[in-house]
Short mmCIF file of all heavy atoms in Angstrom, two decimals:
data_model
loop_
_atom_site.label_atom_id
_atom_site.label_comp_id
_atom_site.label_asym_id
_atom_site.label_seq_id
_atom_site.Cartn_x
_atom_site.Cartn_y
_atom_site.Cartn_z
N ILE A 1 125.32 154.72 145.37
CA ILE A 1 124.44 154.48 146.54
C ILE A 1 125.31 154.68 147.77
O ILE A 1 124.99 155.40 148.69
CB ILE A 1 123.91 153.06 146.51
CG1 ILE A 1 122.85 153.07 145.45
CG2 ILE A 1 123.32 152.76 147.89
CD1 ILE A 1 122.26 151.64 145.30
N SER A 2 126.55 154.15 147.84
CA SER A 2 127.51 154.30 148.91
C SER A 2 127.86 155.80 149.11
O SER A 2 127.86 156.24 150.30
CB SER A 2 128.77 153.47 148.61
OG SER A 2 128.52 152.08 148.48
N ASN A 3 128.11 156.51 148.02
CA ASN A 3 128.45 157.92 148.23
C ASN A 3 127.32 158.79 148.77
O ASN A 3 127.49 159.64 149.47
CB ASN A 3 128.90 158.44 146.85
CG ASN A 3 130.28 157.90 146.33
OD1 ASN A 3 131.01 157.42 147.17
ND2 ASN A 3 130.55 157.89 145.08
N LYS A 4 126.11 158.43 148.24
CA LYS A 4 124.92 159.25 148.55
C LYS A 4 124.65 158.90 150.15
O LYS A 4 124.36 159.84 150.95
CB LYS A 4 123.75 158.81 147.79
CG LYS A 4 123.72 159.51 146.46
CD LYS A 4 122.49 159.10 145.73
CE LYS A 4 122.20 159.94 144.45
NZ LYS A 4 123.31 159.96 143.53
N LEU A 5 124.83 157.71 150.53
CA LEU A 5 124.56 157.34 151.92
C LEU A 5 125.58 158.04 152.92
O LEU A 5 125.18 158.40 153.99
CB LEU A 5 124.56 155.81 152.11
CG LEU A 5 123.49 155.06 151.61
CD1 LEU A 5 123.78 153.55 151.74
CD2 LEU A 5 122.20 155.34 152.55
N SER A 6 126.83 158.21 152.39
CA SER A 6 127.80 158.82 153.34
C SER A 6 127.54 160.26 153.62
O SER A 6 128.05 160.91 154.55
CB SER A 6 129.16 158.70 152.63
OG SER A 6 129.30 159.47 151.52
N SER A 7 126.63 160.89 152.78
CA SER A 7 126.43 162.32 152.97
C SER A 7 124.95 162.62 153.41
O SER A 7 124.49 163.75 153.47
CB SER A 7 126.65 163.10 151.70
OG SER A 7 125.88 162.63 150.67
N GLU A 8 124.24 161.49 153.81
CA GLU A 8 122.78 161.70 154.12
C GLU A 8 122.57 161.28 155.57
O GLU A 8 122.96 160.14 155.89
CB GLU A 8 121.94 160.89 153.12
CG GLU A 8 120.47 161.28 153.33
CD GLU A 8 119.66 161.03 152.06
OE1 GLU A 8 119.82 159.91 151.37
OE2 GLU A 8 118.95 161.92 151.51
N PHE A 9 121.90 162.09 156.28
CA PHE A 9 121.69 161.79 157.72
C PHE A 9 120.46 160.92 157.96
O PHE A 9 120.49 160.02 158.85
CB PHE A 9 121.63 163.15 158.58
CG PHE A 9 121.30 162.85 159.99
CD1 PHE A 9 122.41 162.35 160.70
CD2 PHE A 9 120.17 163.23 160.58
CE1 PHE A 9 122.17 162.14 162.10
CE2 PHE A 9 119.91 162.97 161.95
CZ PHE A 9 120.97 162.49 162.75
N ILE A 10 119.44 161.19 157.18
CA ILE A 10 118.05 160.41 157.41
C ILE A 10 117.82 159.70 156.09
O ILE A 10 117.79 160.32 155.12
CB ILE A 10 117.06 161.42 157.74
CG1 ILE A 10 117.35 162.13 159.11
CG2 ILE A 10 115.76 160.63 157.89
CD1 ILE A 10 116.28 163.22 159.41
N THR A 11 117.41 158.44 156.24
CA THR A 11 117.02 157.61 155.12
C THR A 11 115.73 156.89 155.55
O THR A 11 115.42 156.71 156.65
CB THR A 11 118.02 156.53 154.64
OG1 THR A 11 118.49 155.77 155.85
CG2 THR A 11 119.34 157.30 154.13
N VAL A 12 114.92 156.46 154.52
CA VAL A 12 113.63 155.94 154.74
C VAL A 12 113.73 154.57 155.49
O VAL A 12 112.86 154.20 156.25
CB VAL A 12 112.87 155.76 153.38
CG1 VAL A 12 113.61 154.79 152.45
CG2 VAL A 12 111.42 155.35 153.72
N ILE A 13 114.83 153.87 155.30
CA ILE A 13 115.24 152.64 156.02
C ILE A 13 116.64 152.85 156.48
O ILE A 13 117.31 153.74 155.92
CB ILE A 13 115.01 151.29 155.22
CG1 ILE A 13 115.73 151.42 153.92
CG2 ILE A 13 113.48 151.00 155.06
CD1 ILE A 13 115.57 150.05 153.15
N GLU A 14 117.13 152.04 157.40
CA GLU A 14 118.42 152.19 157.97
C GLU A 14 119.55 152.19 156.93
O GLU A 14 119.50 151.32 156.00
CB GLU A 14 118.72 151.20 159.01
CG GLU A 14 117.90 151.38 160.28
CD GLU A 14 118.29 150.35 161.35
OE1 GLU A 14 119.48 149.78 161.30
OE2 GLU A 14 117.63 150.09 162.29
N GLN A 15 120.49 153.02 156.96
CA GLN A 15 121.53 153.10 155.91
C GLN A 15 122.32 151.82 155.84
O GLN A 15 122.61 151.41 154.78
CB GLN A 15 122.59 154.18 156.36
CG GLN A 15 121.95 155.62 156.32
CD GLN A 15 122.99 156.65 156.73
OE1 GLN A 15 124.11 156.36 156.90
NE2 GLN A 15 122.60 157.96 156.55
N GLU A 16 122.50 151.19 156.95
CA GLU A 16 123.25 149.74 156.96
C GLU A 16 122.49 148.85 156.10
O GLU A 16 123.08 148.08 155.37
CB GLU A 16 123.38 149.39 158.43
CG GLU A 16 124.19 147.97 158.50
CD GLU A 16 124.28 147.52 159.96
OE1 GLU A 16 123.63 148.14 160.80
OE2 GLU A 16 124.94 146.49 160.04
N ASP A 17 121.14 148.79 156.24
CA ASP A 17 120.48 147.88 155.44
C ASP A 17 120.39 148.22 154.01
O ASP A 17 120.48 147.26 153.13
CB ASP A 17 118.90 147.90 155.99
CG ASP A 17 118.77 147.27 157.35
OD1 ASP A 17 119.63 146.41 157.68
OD2 ASP A 17 117.89 147.73 158.08
N ILE A 18 120.35 149.51 153.65
CA ILE A 18 120.53 149.85 152.20
C ILE A 18 121.80 149.46 151.72
O ILE A 18 121.97 148.82 150.61
CB ILE A 18 120.31 151.33 152.01
CG1 ILE A 18 118.94 151.76 152.51
CG2 ILE A 18 120.54 151.76 150.56
CD1 ILE A 18 118.72 153.25 152.49
N LEU A 19 122.91 149.73 152.42
CA LEU A 19 124.26 149.36 152.03
C LEU A 19 124.44 147.85 151.86
O LEU A 19 125.06 147.39 150.94
CB LEU A 19 125.17 149.93 153.04
CG LEU A 19 126.73 149.95 152.60
CD1 LEU A 19 126.86 150.81 151.38
CD2 LEU A 19 127.61 150.61 153.72
N ASN A 20 123.89 147.06 152.83
CA ASN A 20 124.10 145.65 152.78
C ASN A 20 123.40 145.03 151.59
O ASN A 20 123.87 144.13 150.86
CB ASN A 20 123.55 145.05 154.07
CG ASN A 20 124.43 145.17 155.24
OD1 ASN A 20 125.56 145.52 155.16
ND2 ASN A 20 123.87 144.99 156.41
N LEU A 21 122.18 145.59 151.34
CA LEU A 21 121.39 145.00 150.18
C LEU A 21 122.09 145.30 148.92
O LEU A 21 122.23 144.60 148.02
CB LEU A 21 119.94 145.57 150.21
CG LEU A 21 118.97 144.95 149.21
CD1 LEU A 21 118.93 143.52 149.30
CD2 LEU A 21 117.62 145.58 149.39
N SER A 22 122.54 146.68 148.75
CA SER A 22 123.29 147.04 147.56
C SER A 22 124.58 146.18 147.33
O SER A 22 124.95 145.89 146.22
CB SER A 22 123.65 148.51 147.69
OG SER A 22 124.42 148.99 146.55
N GLN A 23 125.23 145.94 148.43
CA GLN A 23 126.55 145.11 148.33
C GLN A 23 126.23 143.75 147.78
O GLN A 23 126.93 143.31 146.88
CB GLN A 23 127.16 145.05 149.72
CG GLN A 23 128.52 144.27 149.61
CD GLN A 23 129.52 144.91 148.64
OE1 GLN A 23 129.91 146.08 148.92
NE2 GLN A 23 129.91 144.19 147.71
N ILE A 24 125.13 143.21 148.27
CA ILE A 24 124.80 141.75 147.81
C ILE A 24 124.42 141.84 146.40
O ILE A 24 124.81 140.91 145.60
CB ILE A 24 123.75 141.11 148.80
CG1 ILE A 24 124.20 140.99 150.23
CG2 ILE A 24 123.34 139.79 148.23
CD1 ILE A 24 123.18 140.53 151.14
N ILE A 25 123.69 142.77 145.94
CA ILE A 25 123.25 142.89 144.56
C ILE A 25 124.53 142.96 143.71
O ILE A 25 124.66 142.42 142.62
CB ILE A 25 122.29 144.04 144.41
CG1 ILE A 25 121.02 143.69 145.07
CG2 ILE A 25 122.05 144.24 142.87
CD1 ILE A 25 120.01 145.02 145.09
N ASP A 26 125.38 143.82 144.25
CA ASP A 26 126.71 144.06 143.41
C ASP A 26 127.40 142.68 143.35
O ASP A 26 128.05 142.40 142.39
CB ASP A 26 127.60 145.07 144.16
CG ASP A 26 128.81 145.42 143.39
OD1 ASP A 26 128.63 145.96 142.35
OD2 ASP A 26 129.93 145.15 143.97
N ASP A 27 127.44 141.96 144.49
CA ASP A 27 128.14 140.60 144.53
C ASP A 27 127.46 139.69 143.51
O ASP A 27 128.17 138.89 142.90
CB ASP A 27 128.03 140.06 145.87
CG ASP A 27 128.95 140.83 146.89
OD1 ASP A 27 129.82 141.55 146.52
OD2 ASP A 27 128.73 140.63 148.09
N ILE A 28 126.16 139.78 143.32
CA ILE A 28 125.48 138.85 142.40
C ILE A 28 125.97 139.16 141.00
O ILE A 28 126.38 138.22 140.20
CB ILE A 28 124.00 139.10 142.50
CG1 ILE A 28 123.43 138.55 143.78
CG2 ILE A 28 123.23 138.35 141.36
CD1 ILE A 28 122.04 138.97 144.02
N THR A 29 126.03 140.43 140.58
CA THR A 29 126.43 140.72 139.24
C THR A 29 127.91 140.35 139.10
O THR A 29 128.30 139.85 138.01
CB THR A 29 126.27 142.27 139.05
OG1 THR A 29 125.04 142.67 139.37
CG2 THR A 29 126.51 142.65 137.49
N ASP A 30 128.71 140.65 140.07
CA ASP A 30 130.12 140.23 140.03
C ASP A 30 130.26 138.68 139.82
O ASP A 30 131.19 138.23 139.09
CB ASP A 30 130.91 140.61 141.24
CG ASP A 30 131.15 142.07 141.42
OD1 ASP A 30 130.88 142.81 140.41
OD2 ASP A 30 131.52 142.56 142.56
N GLU A 31 129.49 137.83 140.45
CA GLU A 31 129.54 136.50 140.42
C GLU A 31 129.15 136.05 139.10
O GLU A 31 129.66 135.01 138.46
CB GLU A 31 128.70 135.80 141.44
CG GLU A 31 129.02 134.35 141.79
CD GLU A 31 130.37 134.22 142.39
OE1 GLU A 31 130.79 135.02 143.20
OE2 GLU A 31 131.07 133.16 142.04
N LEU A 32 128.11 136.58 138.42
CA LEU A 32 127.72 136.35 137.08
C LEU A 32 128.86 136.67 135.98
O LEU A 32 129.16 135.87 135.15
CB LEU A 32 126.44 137.13 136.67
CG LEU A 32 125.18 136.66 137.45
CD1 LEU A 32 124.17 137.80 137.36
CD2 LEU A 32 124.60 135.45 136.89
N ASP A 33 129.56 137.79 136.33
CA ASP A 33 130.69 138.17 135.51
C ASP A 33 131.83 137.13 135.64
O ASP A 33 132.57 136.79 134.73
CB ASP A 33 131.18 139.52 135.93
CG ASP A 33 132.33 140.06 135.11
OD1 ASP A 33 132.35 139.78 133.93
OD2 ASP A 33 133.25 140.65 135.70
N GLU A 34 131.94 136.58 136.89
CA GLU A 34 133.01 135.66 137.22
C GLU A 34 132.88 134.39 136.31
O GLU A 34 133.90 133.82 136.01
CB GLU A 34 132.99 135.34 138.76
CG GLU A 34 134.00 134.32 139.17
CD GLU A 34 135.42 134.93 139.13
OE1 GLU A 34 135.54 136.13 139.12
OE2 GLU A 34 136.36 134.13 139.17
N VAL A 35 131.70 134.00 136.05
CA VAL A 35 131.53 132.78 135.24
C VAL A 35 132.11 133.03 133.83
O VAL A 35 132.81 132.10 133.40
CB VAL A 35 130.06 132.36 135.04
CG1 VAL A 35 129.89 131.18 134.14
CG2 VAL A 35 129.45 132.16 136.47
N THR A 36 131.89 134.11 133.26
CA THR A 36 132.51 134.34 131.92
C THR A 36 133.98 134.40 132.07
O THR A 36 134.77 133.95 131.13
CB THR A 36 131.93 135.66 131.30
OG1 THR A 36 132.30 136.76 132.09
CG2 THR A 36 130.52 135.66 131.11
N ILE A 37 134.48 134.99 133.15
CA ILE A 37 135.93 135.02 133.31
C ILE A 37 136.55 133.64 133.45
O ILE A 37 137.58 133.24 132.87
CB ILE A 37 136.29 135.84 134.52
CG1 ILE A 37 135.95 137.29 134.46
CG2 ILE A 37 137.77 135.72 134.97
CD1 ILE A 37 136.07 138.13 135.65
#
């Protein structure tokens, strides 16, 4: 998602919002992984 956004000029919603949402989703999975660690 990050790589695609870096090369795309127009998106259906703001790039910053897509990136922020993707980052938080990534953080959720990381935090779930953290419990097993």
Side-chain angles (χ1 to χ4, degrees):
I1 290 173
S2 299
N3 290 337
K4 283 178 166 61
L5 284 171
S6 68
S7 61
E8 191 153 50
F9 180 67
I10 297 173
T11 51
V12 65
I13 55 179
E14 289 186 18
Q15 294 182 359
E16 181 181 4
D17 291 329
I18 297 170
L19 193 59
N20 286 344
L21 187 54
S22 178
Q23 180 61 63
I24 298 173
I25 296 170
D26 186 65
D27 290 342
I28 292 169
T29 309
D30 286 347
E31 197 68 35
L32 292 162
D33 182 40
E34 182 67 19
V35 178
T36 62
I37 294 171

